[in-house]
Amino acid sequence: MTRIGMGLVGAGFVGPHHIDAVRRLGFVDVVAVAGSSEVSGREKAESLGVRKGYGSYQELLDDPDVQVVHNATPNHLHYEVTSAAIARGKHIVSDKPLAMTSAQAKRLVNEAQRAGVVAAVTFNYRGNPLVQQARVAVERGDIGTPHFLYGHYLQDWLLKETDYSWRLDPEKGGASSALGDIGSHWCDLAQHITGLKITHVLGDLTTVVKQRQKPSGSREAFQAGNGEGEPVDITVEDLASVLVRFENGVRGCFSVGQVCGGHKNDLVLEVCGAKASLRWRQEDQNELWIGHRDRANEVLQKDPSLLDERVRGYAHLPGGHQESWADAFFNVMREIYGCIAAGPPYPALPPMVATFEDGFRAHRIVDAILESAADGGAWTRV
Ligand SMILES: NC(=O)c1ccc[n+]([C@@H]2O[C@H](COP(=O)([O-])OP(=O)(O)OC[C@H]3O[C@@H](n4cnc5c(N)ncnc54)[C@H](O)[C@@H]3O)[C@@H](O)[C@H]2O)c1
């Protein structure tokens, strides 16, 4: 098999997981890492065992050995890095959100289409085998017609005023914080599992921690603060609840927040249908709850032999051997690189992978929620 060269821009919290996932594929060479400075590029490359470390993404794009660029920079750099990579004819794996605004996201959709490159966004929870099992179960009618979706995505790493992330600075994270950062995952998963688009939203947003200590240096995601820094006012939401309408009159609601003690990465999605319900919880990701009215509820444990044959290949270990976030991330990368390896004309990404169109749609949903909240909680069309 022809080997494929990958380059990573932004090796903070999530970037190294992109490297782990592609290394596992066996036919991908991690060629280079680009950091925010020469020193950080070199240090990151060394610590990740990557041959070349660059001080700017432009140098990485100039490297002819890099065919696929992974963009794991903070949000404000997404558009420029992704757009430049596409202009150089590189395939692109952008971490979410696709850009800072819907307008930028739409431009990227068009740029990628014109260039004919493979372009994907990492809405990685789709890669979990039991998420795929849920999707297949809905599609084959196991739960009947869905009528209600609910759940939440709660974390606690921004609970204290000493906690800080660039996500809370609209110049770096965008107009939305918690909704754009993690609410977008919930919406993507809800639409992916049911095949139903979100059409209308009604949002109630708030900023629980109104002032925080901003550190003088950079701090990567999930790192607790130590009280060092200067006080800054926070204007973006760290907590939100949203009523949702899907196509076909299907109703839903979800809450997101990064200020909820004890919730580490607590993404929960339940779909209630005419016959039964399904619930998947990221923190117990090897289980799928199936709720019945006239018989005992069930818990399907992840076990390849019990999964639909279309899903089985996403489980890499026998039953009882827990799989994790990183395995789901790998599944997404495997699908993306499968398309790249097929060569031009590149096949369309399989449904499990979020496209740039999906990334654009995620932006439009967040825009509509912000608009709804600004209107005092009015129903707003996406
Ligand atoms: N898919 C997921 O589940 C998931 C999880 C976490 C983060 N993310 C997304 O990934 C992106 C990165 O998030 P993170 O949590 O890893 O952030 P982070 O702050 O931990 O890491 C960002 C890295 O980018 C580097 N960087 C900054 N400017 C740069 C530049 N000009 N060139 C190269 N590198 C630069 C920083 O030094 C840092 O190492 C965000 O857009 C976030 O939304 C996605």
Side-chain angles (χ1 to χ4, degrees):
M1 192 171 207
T2 318
R3 300 194 68 80
I4 297 171
M6 176 266 204
L8 170 72
V9 186
F13 160 63
V14 85
H17 296 285
H18 286 248
I19 288 186
D20 282 350
V22 302
R23 276 193 171 135
R24 211 172 135 184
L25 286 165
F27 59 92
V28 178
D29 296 318
V30 181
V31 172
V33 172
S36 52
S37 67
E38 233 158 83
V39 175
S40 92
R42 197 173 48 242
E43 284 177 357
K44 299 275 182 186
E46 264 169 35
S47 70
L48 293 162
V50 178
R51 216 157 22 94
K52 301 183 229 179
Y54 292 123
S56 74
Y57 73 82
Q58 289 91 346
E59 288 172 78
L60 182 138
L61 297 185
D62 284 342
D63 190 326
D65 294 337
V66 173
Q67 291 152 267
V68 190
V69 174
H70 287 234
N71 185 357
T73 55
N75 300 356
H76 68 111
L77 294 167
H78 282 196
Y79 177 78
E80 69 173 76
V81 173
T82 298
S83 178
I86 294 169
R88 304 295 296 265
K90 314 271 184 186
H91 304 293
I92 178 87
V93 179
S94 170
D95 222 309
K96 41 58 56 179
L98 185 49
M100 285 281 272
T101 63
S102 295
Q104 285 182 343
K106 186 68 191 165
R107 284 209 292 277
L108 290 177
V109 169
N110 296 335
E111 289 170 24
Q113 217 162 38
R114 273 199 303 273
V117 295
V118 174
V121 188
T122 48
F123 280 115
N124 43 297
Y125 295 107
R126 295 186 183 195
N128 191 283
L130 287 179
V131 164
Q132 289 305 313
Q133 180 71 18
R135 183 169 182 272
V136 166
V138 172
E139 187 187 276
R140 67 186 183 200
D142 292 9
I143 65 163
T145 306
H147 52 249
F148 183 54
L149 279 83
Y150 90 100
H152 60 247
Y153 196 164
L154 304 176
Q155 299 179 332
D156 69 2
W157 66 287
L158 294 174
L159 176 59
K160 299 182 184 175
E161 63 177 40
T162 46
D163 298 324
Y164 188 81
S165 166
W166 51 258
R167 290 161 169 82
L168 296 155
D169 175 356
E171 298 286 313
K172 295 201 167 138
S176 157
S177 188
L179 278 166
D181 194 35
I182 55 177
S184 55
H185 274 297
W186 191 93
C187 294
D188 180 76
L189 208 57
Q191 296 180 118
H192 180 64
I193 287 179
T194 59
L196 297 166
K197 297 256 184 295
I198 292 174
T199 60
H200 295 78
V201 290
L202 186 158
D204 178 38
L205 278 54
T206 188
T207 308
V208 175
V209 181
K210 293 186 169 53
Q211 197 176 66
R212 293 176 182 266
Q213 295 301 119
K214 181 180 176 184
S216 48
S218 68
R219 187 186 294 152
E220 290 176 359
F222 295 96
Q223 285 177 349
N226 55 12
E228 173 263 329
E230 58 175 54
V232 286
D233 293 334
I234 303 297
T235 55
V236 286
E237 85 289 350
D238 52 20
L239 184 71
S241 292
V242 186
L243 286 177
V244 183
R245 288 184 190 153
F246 294 81
E247 293 169 303
N248 304 343
V250 176
R251 296 303 207 260
C253 66
F254 70 93
S255 293
V256 294
Q258 290 170 310
V259 290
C260 302
H263 296 270
K264 303 303 172 188
N265 195 36
D266 193 9
L267 166 59
V268 176
L269 179 72
E270 181 164 329
V271 188
C272 302
K275 291 196 276 188
S277 305
L278 291 172
R279 181 171 64 234
W280 182 75
R281 179 169 185 237
Q282 199 284 145
E283 290 189 355
D284 297 313
Q285 62 187 275
N286 287 268
E287 295 181 352
L288 182 67
W289 178 85
I290 307 165
H292 302 287
R293 177 173 131 155
D294 298 324
R295 61 187 167 96
N297 297 337
E298 300 167 83
V299 174
L300 171 65
Q301 285 188 299
K302 184 228 60 170
D303 179 336
S305 68
L306 301 176
L307 299 178
D308 186 276
E309 61 179 22
R310 288 169 281 175
V311 173
R312 206 164 288 155
Y314 296 128
H316 305 283
L317 292 163
H321 298 67
Q322 305 302 315
E323 290 185 49
S324 68
W325 191 97
D327 298 292
F329 206 80
F330 165 74
N331 283 334
V332 173
M333 294 303 160
R334 191 175 64 177
E335 297 289 15
I336 296 169
Y337 275 80
C339 289
I340 296 170
Y346 299 98
L349 289 164
M352 193 248 253
V353 182
T355 60
F356 272 24
E357 275 290 346
D358 296 326
F360 168 62
R361 167 146 275 276
H363 272 283
R364 298 291 297 125
I365 294 168
V366 172
D367 286 352
I369 298 170
L370 294 182
E371 209 180 303
S372 159
D375 277 358
W379 276 107
T380 305
R381 180 186 283 276
V382 174

